[in-house]
Amino acid sequence: MSSSDPSQALDHVVLVIFENRSLDNLLGHLYGPADGKSFDGVLGKQLTNPVPEWAEHQPPDGSGEVGVFIGTDMDAPCPDSGEEYYHTNTQLFGTLDEHNRFAGADTMAEPWNAPAPGTTPTMDGFVADYISFFTWEKGRQPTYDEYAQIMQCYTPEQVPVLNGLAREFGVFDHWFCEVPSQTFMNRSFWTAGTCTPLPTGGTANTPVTHWIKDNTAETLFDRLEAHGRTWKVYVLDGQIPLTGVIHWPRLRDKFATHFVPFSEFEADAAAGTLPDFALIEPNLLLGHGDYHPAAGAALAQGLELQVDPPSSILSGEAFLERLFTAYRNMRSPAGANVWNTTLFIGWDEPGGTYDHVPPGPVPAPDPAAPPGQFDFRFDRSGYRVPAIVVSPWVDPGSVYNDEHRHTSMLATLRERWGLGEAFTERDGAAKPFDYVFSRTTPTDPDAWNVPKAAPAPPYHVDWETSDKTLSNLGKAALPGIIAAAKAKGIALPPEVEDPNFHLTTDLAYDVQVLIGAHFWPKMGPQGADLAARIAKLGEDLKAADTPQ
């Protein structure tokens, strides 16, 4: 039974946050000049980045630059591009301190490739940064074809579900991430308007203790409960929920009740029992179905770890199709249904993939706070990411040119749901997006024309060939979780206490399942299944010899 009132479009909100792609990378070919849309993509433009003089392999045409192109690799860039603050500085401003050339996270040094205050981003350092980071990852400089892939942008035919949803509903072409850095802080801004930046943490995923101990900012989840509203976090494939890790101090008491498997979302959607706010986490760990570029080479210097599916884009497309199918089939006559629920598709950050639109300055969450980690004052944002709003009350083919950021979600919900004052200066300045519900009659969900996902090849981790110690990004979250488990007195296998404990990718996954089952009981195995997992882990640990 459809609603006749567009004011109900935001009675319920479903937000899914994917990983590490820019707008140009996934949606840059969505519309061109001939389509009559005011869409700021890559078509009709001559977009290039210069190749630095110190690159060993210059462009074969002698141009000294790489242009945007359509490639065929559905997991590019492979290996992964840099996403930390100091990498993003190079990408946006072309600034690369000589002592940071070819440096990894363990050797990066101040001033962190930072631009001079007030500098306008030039968006011309993506190639230089990728060559530098590739060299750290692989131990050699890339060939032209290897570094050119950072300028690859996909077509609607290659990414049909995401582009199809953008065409069938509404797309924002000036939606910027909040922080010119990584996952944790940008996800924190989605749900808190800040990441509690301190000199000791908050501008990078590490140290994870910042998130488990210091990120004490009030969250949207707190505000919802204070106003009698409901929420859940639905997580795919039984992984440790990153939302719980990021907001640990605030949400710890809700781990056992409000973090549930994605299969429960499908059941709640069908029954009309979705909460007011539903946050969806794709699989962000091994076998990730989150669109994230191939991460295996970025986890340990000089090693290729087997943690990636054949294509996280194809896997992400398959999951997005599954989510959209559950959404369009919400026909309950009472409670949540497709007519009173909005599906919002967002990203955390662009992850170093190319985009041509420079981000502008923004107010710091707390202007009186001292500089944070890497001396960053949080007074400028990261660059564009895909953002799509799905609702029968949205005019098909809409393009929204106004500037938005992740905190526009907070601004919208505060306004529409009466949630009170701004969380921080950042969401206080953000523009709400509720103007998008412009139809007086809803479109017919049965008539929505969204292409099917391309087949995603099966994913099998080759554990036998991945016996390599994780480092940097691979160790960003798990050691902090292990430390928290120890502090809570959770019984872990004695081998984990050994200072020489060898954290291979398979053991990392098994340990996170074990710990996750304790902190988030609805997310992991219980009873006999858990006992069997513990026994297997014990056997695996006995065989975990330190690699040479």
Side-chain angles (χ1 to χ4, degrees), residues 47-208:
L47 300 172
T48 64
N49 258 208
V51 178
E53 294 181 356
W54 45 261
E56 291 181 358
H57 305 286
Q58 292 292 316
D61 62 1
S63 66
E65 60 187 22
V66 182
V68 166
F69 70 99
I70 299 169
T72 59
D73 185 351
M74 292 303 295
D75 219 17
C78 183
D80 194 9
S81 44
E83 62 190 73
E84 295 94 335
Y85 170 75
Y86 33 78
H87 286 296
T88 310
N89 284 336
T90 302
Q91 293 154 9
L92 299 190
F93 298 93
T95 52
L96 177 57
D97 304 322
E98 188 170 353
H99 59 270
N100 287 332
R101 189 186 302 167
F102 311 134
D106 53 343
T107 55
M108 283 281 179
E110 58 184 345
W112 316 111
N113 306 325
T119 304
T120 299
T122 54
M123 311 304 285
D124 64 354
F126 290 89
V127 169
D129 185 71
Y130 192 63
I131 294 173
S132 179
F133 191 46
F134 185 109
T135 304
W136 177 85
E137 292 177 294
K138 292 289 193 177
R140 63 171 178 82
Q141 285 212 27
T143 66
Y144 171 79
D145 287 338
E146 286 174 326
Y147 67 71
Q149 64 180 314
I150 198 63
M151 300 296 288
Q152 174 175 332
C153 296
Y154 295 97
T155 67
E157 291 72 27
Q158 291 174 307
V159 191
V161 180
L162 186 70
N163 282 262
L165 288 167
R167 287 174 169 169
E168 187 68 22
F169 300 98
V171 62
F172 299 85
D173 71 345
H174 283 78
W175 191 287
F176 296 87
C177 74
E178 295 283 356
V179 184
S181 192
Q182 291 182 281
T183 292
F184 286 11
M185 60 287 320
N186 276 292
R187 286 180 176 267
S188 185
F189 268 82
W190 269 108
T191 46
T194 185
C195 56
T196 317
L198 297 170
T200 53
T203 311
N205 290 346
T206 55
V208 76

Side-chain angles (χ1 to χ4, degrees), residues 297-384:
L299 300 180
Q301 185 177 10
L303 298 174
E304 183 77 30
L305 302 189
Q306 302 299 313
V307 299
D308 293 302
S311 171
S312 62
I313 289 180
L314 294 178
S315 299
E317 285 275 287
F319 177 64
L320 181 55
E321 180 184 355
R322 179 179 170 187
L323 173 60
F324 173 66
T325 298
Y327 170 75
R328 78 183 300 172
N329 289 332
M330 291 173 57
R331 309 298 174 90
S332 173
N337 57 47
V338 71
W339 297 282
N340 65 19
T341 302
T342 292
L343 169 62
F344 198 99
I345 303 163
W347 256 255
D348 60 346
E349 38 100 4
T353 56
Y354 173 74
D355 197 83
H356 77 279
V357 175
V362 288
D366 179 3
Q373 188 181 16
F374 308 128
D375 297 321
F376 183 50
R377 291 187 174 274
F378 288 79
D379 54 359
R380 53 185 172 86
S381 73
Y383 59 107
R384 293 190 308 172

